[in-house]
């Protein structure tokens, strides 16, 4: 596309507009980084959200905190909801369902575990009130060699719109206002 | 999906439009300046701009000849705030996980101590 841009700029830095076109989906925290505060990144290529966080534990311990229903219910949160595990088969080809309550409100989540390995969990995630927006989540636990384990979570949605609604709603953490927002968003501008 | 939020999501669902928004975050730009950055026709860029305008993400001044495109930061901030809230919720969850892992560690070392005691006793 030719414009009034002069041609003697070839030796200078590339067009600043081009810099935005450099794909940076390859970006991830380096092993040297101490990811003590969760890093969230929306993927540019596919409708996915990445999360990284380091914990002071072995991959085996992190795995157990994810696969043991009693331990899982203690941290999944949010803190103001109680988590009741209904079905829990956290193994390859297993499934799960849990319900979170706050007074009269309840939110149910379910899905399958297509694969549960030594350091990786692959699960489908579905909020029962909105089952058509299923997400595929992969959690990988990598030993950093100094007592830290890096957790890398990828939540893959079925469209960029779903992904952004997922981000905006805080759906994964079951925050009430998030669901209300999500309901409004998905009800063709209906009122709630 | 006709409410403003849906329009914002739909507008940002396209990688070129996402990039245009990122570019406009650096400052206003005209249609032709924007078009230089992309390997698509001027018409295609204009069409993308219409979508962004429709979602309220950008505005264009009517009077000036150049009609620079301006990012409506307030709308964009809303998205940024949501992402930050999502991140904060994740951080809170990981902090709870830290506590569970610490208690597992304590139980394990307690079990280890018990084991040592047993071994010493035997």
């Amino acid at each position: 596309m030719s414009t009034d841009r002069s041609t003697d700029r070839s030796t200078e830095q590339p067009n600043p507009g081009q810099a935005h076109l450099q794909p940076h989906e390859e970006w991830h925290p380096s092993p040297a980084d101490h990811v003590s505060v969760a890093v969230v990144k929306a993927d540019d290529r596919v409708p996915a959200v990445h999360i990284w966080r380091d914990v002071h534990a072995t991959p085996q311990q992190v795995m157990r905190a994810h696969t043991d229903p009693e331990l899982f219910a203690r941290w999944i949160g949010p803190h103001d909801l109680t988590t009741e595990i209904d079905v829990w088969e956290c193994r390859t080809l297993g499934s799960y369902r849990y319900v979170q309550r706050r007074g009269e409100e309840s939110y149910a989540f379910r899905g399958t575990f297509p694969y549960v390995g030594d350091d990786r969990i692959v699960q489908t995630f579905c909020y029962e009130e909105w089952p058509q927006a299923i997400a595929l989540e992969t959690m990988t636990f990598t030993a950093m060699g100094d007592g830290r384990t890096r957790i890398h979570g990828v939540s893959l949605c079925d469209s960029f719109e779903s992904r952004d609604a997922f981000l905006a709603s805080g759906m994964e953490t079951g925050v009430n206002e998030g669901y209300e927002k999500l309901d409004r968003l998905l009800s063709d501008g209906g009122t709630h | 999906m006709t409410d403003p939020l849906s329009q914002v999501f739909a507008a940002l669902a396209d990688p070129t439009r996402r990039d245009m928004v990122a570019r406009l975050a650096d400052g206003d730009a005209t249609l032709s300046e924007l078009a230089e950055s992309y390997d698509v026709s001027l018409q295609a860029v204009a069409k993308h701009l219409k979508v962004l305008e429709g979602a309220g993400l950008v505005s264009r001044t009517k009077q000036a000849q150049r009609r620079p495109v301006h990012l409506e930061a307030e709308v964009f901030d809303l998205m940024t705030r949501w992402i930050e809230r999502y991140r904060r919720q994740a951080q809170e969850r990981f902090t709870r996980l830290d506590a569970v892992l610490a208690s597992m560690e304590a139980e394990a070392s307690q079990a280890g101590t018990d084991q040592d005691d047993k071994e010493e006793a035997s």
Side-chain angles (χ1 to χ4, degrees), chain B residues 57 71-83:
Chain B
L57 283 165
L71 182 69
E72 293 298 330
E74 204 178 316
V75 180
F76 195 60
D77 280 352
L78 189 65
M79 285 287 288
T80 318
R81 280 204 303 273
W82 284 333
I83 291 178

Side-chain angles (χ1 to χ4, degrees), chain B residues 4-15:
Chain B
L5 284 189
S6 311
Q7 284 191 302
V8 169
F9 292 140
L12 292 173
D14 178 273

Side-chain angles (χ1 to χ4, degrees), chain A residues 12-13 24 26 28 43 50-51 75 77 82 104 114 118-119 121-123 126 131 142 149 151 160 176-177 181-182:
Chain A
E12 289 182 30
Q13 58 191 15
H24 46 97
E26 297 299 320
H28 56 81
D43 199 296
H50 296 261
I51 290 191
W75 64 263
T82 55
E104 294 295 293
D118 291 338
D119 58 1
I121 298 174
V122 181
Q123 70 185 102
C126 153
T142 309
T149 291
I151 297 174
F160 279 99
N176 193 34
E177 75 208 40
K181 196 168 275 185
L182 204 60

Side-chain angles (χ1 to χ4, degrees), chain A residues 5 20 38 168 173 177 188, chain B residues 1 19 36 85 91 93 105:
Chain A
R5 180 180 288 275
H20 295 299
T173 50
E177 75 208 40
D188 283 327
Chain B
M1 305 248 292
D19 194 82
E36 282 173 28
R85 192 185 64 172
Q91 175 63 16
R93 195 168 59 248
E105 187 64 46

Side-chain angles (χ1 to χ4, degrees), chain B:
Chain B
M1 305 248 292
T2 52
D3 59 299
L5 284 189
S6 311
Q7 284 191 302
V8 169
F9 292 140
L12 292 173
D14 178 273
T16 305
R17 290 198 290 269
R18 283 173 184 278
D19 194 82
M20 287 166 78
V21 165
R23 162 83 198 273
L24 290 165
D26 293 339
D28 294 1
T30 62
L31 174 61
S32 60
E33 282 166 349
L34 282 171
E36 282 173 28
S37 309
Y38 308 104
D39 194 20
V40 294
S41 69
L42 195 64
Q43 288 80 357
V45 173
K47 201 180 267 187
H48 281 313
L49 267 187
K50 270 216 161 18
V51 176
L52 292 174
E53 271 187 278
L57 283 165
V58 306
S59 60
R60 297 184 72 183
T61 41
K62 289 277 185 286
Q63 66 278 24
Q65 189 69 37
R66 290 174 69 251
R67 297 196 67 206
V69 182
H70 175 74
L71 182 69
E72 293 298 330
E74 204 178 316
V75 180
F76 195 60
D77 280 352
L78 189 65
M79 285 287 288
T80 318
R81 280 204 303 273
W82 284 333
I83 291 178
E84 179 49 30
R85 192 185 64 172
Y86 177 88
R87 199 202 59 74
R88 207 176 56 237
Q89 288 163 351
Q91 175 63 16
E92 286 172 5
R93 195 168 59 248
F94 283 121
T95 303
R96 288 190 298 269
L97 176 61
D98 288 339
V100 168
L101 289 167
S103 71
M104 285 166 64
E105 187 64 46
E107 282 166 31
S109 60
Q110 183 59 47
T113 310
D114 294 349
Q115 192 60 38
D116 292 345
D117 292 348
K118 274 189 201 135
E119 280 169 17
E120 275 175 33
S122 60

